[in-house]
Amino acid sequence: MKKINPAPSFKNHFESSQQHKTDSMSGAQFILKKLELLGIDTIFGIPGSHIDPLVTASLNTNMTTVIACHELSAGYMADGYSRSSNTLGVVFSISSPGSNNLITAVNTARIERIPMLIISGDVPIRFSEVPAFQSGNHLGSNDDELFKVITKYSNRVSSIEVLDTTLERAITEAFTPPFGPTHLIVPYCVLEETINKIPTSINLKALKYQETKNSTDTVSLLQSLIQRNKKLVFWIGDSFNTKEQEEQIFDLAEKFHIPVTTSYSAKGAFPEAHNLALGNFGYAGSMASKELMLSDNLDYIIAFDIEQNERDSLNWNAKLYSGKELISIIFSGCFKSEKYGLAIEDNPFFVLKTLHSLLMEHDYDKTDRYNWFEQLLSQESAIPSVEIITEKGLVEPAKLIEILSDEMPSDTIYFVDSGTHRIFPGVHLKINSPKSFFSASTVAPLGWAIAAGIGSTFNRDENVVIFTGDGCLQMHGIEIKTAVKHQKHILVVVCNNSAFGNVHKRYSKISESAAEVVSIKEIDWNLFLESLGAKVIEISTEHAFIDSVKEFLKNPTVMVLNVRTPISPYIQDPSSSKSAFA
């Protein structure tokens, strides 16, 4: 990835100030070198005096240092960078106000199991026993205790002597399943002091596939079920998003004729054009998935990285575990309850990989399972057709997804935000490869996709589409400036219904004045986004949308399509449709 250099005068200032350190390595340089050994080429954050040594040292590396507009956006960018590349997302800030602004991003990474490293610079150690300005210690914002409850590991680097072991522990914990965020508080003096050690790399893949004490029994149970003529389905969760895992799922599904459904954010873990693909389950899911998963004509659901809860499933229903057995292979520490089926704490990554290596050597007659599934498919309900309503000056969001599917290259990467518009990619967008579709669907923070999508462009070269809404744009739309600054090529599709759509639908049942409270009518989005340097096109017909998408592909830049859309969907919600299977 080409590095974007700072202004010459800025760079020269810091190069000259560090020339006397060329024969030594500071704490900041040690951290950066360690990250480079792991293949990390971009870090995100907001500068400030306590973190200055890390930022200035990064300017003399091959890394790209991305200065966002807000710490929370920087955290989401690191999240998007991590999700799209299977590597560590790194975000930096000062302690206290800076680190505290990161909390929602850190919690999102914790709940959605994203490996991230948060580095917050703090006051020098000599100020540790006094209430210093913007201090994160126990006399300030108490970041030590705050981050312990929202990360897998949080520690204060007490001296330069322990920097290497503490950093190693933070990275290792982030990449030990279940993945998650870790946090280091690094005092200013530790970033500046000299360390007499050489950083070494870490075998991250070895951490990912660690066997547990339960693994032998888990594999034996699943192997037995798959080889018997039981009616079963695979349910794949968010963490299964690599090409290697897609191939493992694909091979097992084809050999044993097992239909596959996924969580919303795992779209693409199994190619959705395949005849065994059910699509994603739950809210904004497919009819096929809903009808099979909730039917009585099923013996087992084998779930990988799906917790037994409404948050992961987006449609928790008693029919998932009554009349059939739900077997959930979950990471240690995840939620489980005996009344919801069998939950086995294990390493789902290791279990799937081992199942693949064992089962692919065996022959299997899939005739019975084939006939069972074909019969079910013949009864599947059709997805309601899209009503074109452009004569009203509004474009149905489902139509936008159909156009994007037709016009954008097959390797396009999609980032989908939270809100009413999230329904339409789930139902109408077919994803056929892993790491091509991303949404923070379990936490659902507004505006996440804008910043995360921008973050992904620092390690992916494919076209990126951000599918968002005007409510989300209020949260993190300012980061369009960051994409422009770094000359990224991003297509931002804004479903502009002039309201917080889902909330507006609820409030409109109370009164018109209640609905007006959550309307968004006072912002000139075209003027605002143009002031950030983006190319903005207002859209009110599907033909204009098609033309604009083609223009983006011909002349890629940061393009925002401000599409006028209705508040309420003009298609039937598949989750409310009557089941044909049950």
Side-chain angles (χ1 to χ4, degrees), residues 27 55 93 116 145 280 321 325 393 498 531 547 562:
V55 178
S93 71
M116 280 175 54
E145 296 302 319
N280 53 291
Y321 52 88
E325 186 163 6
S498 300
S531 74
D547 291 342
N562 181 13

Side-chain angles (χ1 to χ4, degrees), residues 19-277:
Q19 282 176 352
H20 67 285
K21 296 183 179 181
T22 53
D23 296 328
S24 61
M25 185 178 293
S26 69
Q29 291 169 326
F30 182 91
I31 293 171
L32 296 167
K33 184 62 177 176
K34 182 86 168 181
L35 296 176
E36 284 186 307
L37 290 172
L38 298 175
I40 298 162
D41 59 10
T42 307
I43 57 175
F44 306 86
I46 296 289
S49 59
H50 301 341
I51 198 72
D52 275 353
L54 184 75
V55 178
T56 57
S58 73
L59 302 177
N60 294 315
T61 69
N62 291 321
M63 282 188 165
T64 298
T65 304
V66 179
I67 304 300
C69 299
H70 191 283
E71 286 92 353
L72 181 54
S73 296
Y76 290 154
M77 288 179 189
D79 179 338
Y81 178 91
S82 175
R83 293 190 199 222
S84 61
S85 63
N86 283 324
T87 191
L88 189 68
V90 180
V91 60
F92 61 84
S93 71
I94 64 169
S95 290
S96 195
S99 57
N100 289 192
N101 276 338
L102 282 164
I103 287 175
T104 304
V106 176
N107 253 326
T108 299
R110 175 182 65 87
I111 294 169
E112 304 208 355
R113 298 187 273 278
I114 307 302
M116 280 175 54
L117 174 64
I118 299 94
I119 302 172
S120 54
D122 203 5
V123 297
I125 293 173
R126 67 180 184 274
F127 293 130
S128 60
E129 296 304 321
V130 297
F133 180 66
Q134 294 186 328
S135 170
N137 63 23
H138 66 289
L139 296 173
S141 57
N142 203 8
D143 288 3
D144 304 66
E145 296 302 319
L146 180 63
F147 277 83
K148 282 180 181 177
V149 298
I150 61 172
T151 60
K152 289 187 66 181
Y153 172 78
S154 179
N155 205 349
R156 178 178 289 270
V157 183
S158 58
S159 69
I160 192 68
E161 286 75 22
V162 299
L163 175 61
D164 63 328
T165 55
T166 312
L167 180 60
E168 182 96 1
R169 172 78 183 277
I171 295 171
T172 300
E173 288 285 348
F175 267 101
T176 299
F179 300 153
T182 58
H183 172 237
L184 292 181
I185 304 170
V186 189
Y188 183 95
C189 55
V190 173
L191 291 171
E192 283 225 309
E193 289 174 9
T194 300
I195 184 169
N196 296 314
K197 296 179 180 178
I198 299 174
T200 57
S201 188
I202 303 172
N203 186 345
L204 300 179
K205 189 170 184 178
L207 296 173
K208 180 175 181 177
Y209 288 106
Q210 292 182 86
E211 184 176 1
T212 77
K213 63 180 181 180
N214 296 328
S215 296
T216 299
D217 291 341
T218 304
V219 170
S220 178
L221 170 64
L222 299 186
Q223 183 177 4
S224 173
L225 292 177
I226 291 170
Q227 288 181 303
R228 290 153 56 193
N229 277 327
K230 294 295 182 180
K231 304 166 186 175
L232 57 85
V233 62
F234 281 160
W235 190 6
I236 307 299
D238 300 0
S239 298
F240 285 81
N241 54 16
T242 67
K243 185 64 179 175
E244 179 182 21
Q245 290 166 330
E246 182 214 26
E247 291 172 352
Q248 292 164 0
I249 298 166
F250 185 93
D251 290 345
L252 288 171
E254 282 214 324
K255 185 178 182 67
F256 296 93
H257 209 78
I258 300 171
V260 180
T261 189
T262 71
S263 64
Y264 185 92
S265 295
K267 284 174 71 70
F270 186 76
E272 294 190 308
H274 195 281
N275 63 330
L276 287 169

Side-chain angles (χ1 to χ4, degrees), residues 20 111 151 157 160 218 276 284 309 320 377 500 506 530 536 550:
H20 67 285
I111 294 169
T151 60
V157 183
I160 192 68
T218 304
L276 287 169
N309 59 47
L320 287 169
L377 286 180
F500 289 99
R506 295 195 301 269
E530 286 171 355
V536 184
K550 289 180 176 179

Side-chain angles (χ1 to χ4, degrees), residues 218 222 235 301-309 316 325-331 335-336 340-346 348:
T218 304
L222 299 186
W235 190 6
I301 297 173
I302 300 177
F304 293 92
D305 185 32
I306 298 284
E307 292 186 40
Q308 299 169 316
N309 59 47
W316 192 246
E325 186 163 6
L326 172 61
I327 302 175
S328 305
I329 315 303
I330 58 175
F331 294 107
F335 175 80
K336 64 179 181 178
Y340 297 143
L342 176 62
I344 303 173
E345 291 191 53
D346 209 316

Side-chain angles (χ1 to χ4, degrees), residues 400-408 414 465 467 491 545 549:
L400 302 179
I401 294 299
E402 289 185 357
I403 293 169
L404 289 170
S405 298
D406 291 340
E407 300 296 336
M408 294 299 295
Y414 292 88
V465 171
F467 199 74
L491 181 63
F545 187 74
V549 172

